[in-house]
Amino acid sequence: MAILVLLNRDQDVPRRLFRDRSNPLDYLSDDAVISDYRLDRRTIYYGGYMSVIGEAHGVSKMTVSRTIKTFTGLITLHLDKYITFPMDIPEQLKVKRDFYNIRGFPSVLGAVDGTLIPIETPSIDEYHYVCRKGFHALNIQGVCDAKLKFLNIVAKWPGTTHDLFIWTNCGLSAAFEDKEITGGWLLGDSGYGLRPWLLTSKLNPRTPADRKYNVCHKSTRCVIERAFGL
């Protein structure tokens, strides 16, 4: 009681703020999380989600992890059936029509981009996998249609690999280069470089037509970012 009276009398006494040290992710910055734990915040929380899922279904986190590994392994056996780039004219016409309905951009066969997927620390050539954001990752290239369906995926390059390098060394790029695929083009960001079959935005738009092109390009190309996010 005496302590309470003393505190009430002296309202100007500064109070110390105590953080909940049980969850350091609540107060550490993104850079500090990576520096201290060598993982980004999203990867750490992903591991936490496996614990939550396991508790909800009465199994251990290890069981959830094994189940995810088995399930994804089964999916990869059927990739060639479901992840295919449209090669015949009827399929291509449908893809073009869906893209055109977004913002009126004609003859688009797909949107291409890369995304960084966190991985466990590799034991070989570890430094090659530390991406520009500071965590270990693979740089995954994807091409999708207007409905967010992936048409092509390249998932083998370390996080330090540039998007353009991945693109110029993939089979789909060679198919366009060798004219195995004609009659349309892909949309990519400026990092890919302009090609007859890969259109990028104009870096210095000067005319109303340039600006309209960029708006249509961005609105159409962003489907690949949405696909990765989803």
Side-chain angles (χ1 to χ4, degrees), residues 3 24 59-60 82 88 215:
I3 293 177
V59 297
S60 68
Y82 295 105
D88 61 65
V215 169

Side-chain angles (χ1 to χ4, degrees), residues 156-170:
K156 64 179 181 179
W157 293 101
T160 55
T161 312
H162 194 277
D163 289 349
L164 178 58
F165 180 89
I166 297 175
W167 171 249
T168 55
N169 287 276
C170 76

